[in-house]
């Protein structure tokens, strides 16, 4: 999303090969767990994680649905950070979503962290 306008081109971004729809299609155009970040008009950060792959509980979002959701939260700039089983959100060190892997929370190699400001 850019200036409140949704722009999704999974093929141009390298997430979808129109000649081989096996993985990329599922990732881009099928509902998956997703983690997204955005900024509203006042410059405030919006972070959202949507669970998925849990019939009757949460199906997740396609990239387009994720973009519309972020816009509904007031984001004017937004991007998809991650999806699938590694999509997790913790607040104050506690996992606050239900990850989609059958084995539970998955180890990941990187995180986005929002920490309190240091006091001088």
């Amino acid at each position: 999303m850019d200036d409140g306008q949704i722009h999704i081109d999974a093929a141009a971004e390298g997430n979808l090969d129109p000649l081989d729809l096996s993985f990329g299609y599922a990732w881009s155009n099928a509902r998956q767990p997703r983690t997204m970040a955005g900024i509203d008009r006042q410059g405030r950060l919006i972070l959202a994680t949507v669970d998925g792959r849990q019939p009757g509980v949460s199906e997740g979002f396609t990239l387009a649905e994720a973009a519309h959701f972020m816009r509904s939260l007031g984001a004017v700039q937004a991007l998809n950070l991650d999806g699938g089983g590694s999509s997790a959100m913790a607040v104050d060190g506690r996992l606050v979503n239900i990850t989609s892997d059958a084995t539970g929370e998955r180890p990941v190699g990187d995180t986005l962290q929002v920490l309190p400001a240091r006091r001088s």
Side-chain angles (χ1 to χ4, degrees):
M1 179 182 322
D2 184 21
D3 197 27
Q5 300 299 311
I6 295 172
H7 301 282
I8 299 171
D9 189 338
E13 294 172 9
N15 296 319
L16 176 66
D17 180 352
L19 301 177
D20 178 11
L21 299 177
S22 59
F23 173 77
Y25 177 82
W27 186 86
S28 301
N29 297 318
R31 289 183 169 150
Q32 304 288 346
R34 305 231 182 242
T35 298
M36 302 145 292
I39 302 290
D40 70 7
R41 289 212 185 277
Q42 289 76 40
R44 295 175 295 197
L45 177 64
I46 300 168
L47 296 173
T49 296
V50 176
D51 293 335
R53 300 182 189 153
Q54 301 171 46
V57 177
S58 179
E59 296 179 10
F61 284 151
T62 66
L63 283 181
E65 289 168 336
H68 286 282
F69 176 71
M70 290 301 287
R71 187 166 60 186
S72 79
L73 295 177
V76 293
Q77 305 285 333
L79 61 125
N80 182 72
L81 295 173
D82 198 4
S86 60
S87 205
M89 182 177 282
V91 176
D92 290 330
R94 186 176 65 83
L95 188 67
V96 295
N97 72 308
I98 301 170
T99 59
S100 66
D101 280 4
T103 57
E105 189 177 358
R106 177 192 298 182
V108 294
D110 55 8
T111 64
L112 172 67
Q113 298 183 18
V114 178
L115 303 171
R118 290 180 108 169
R119 294 183 186 230
S120 306

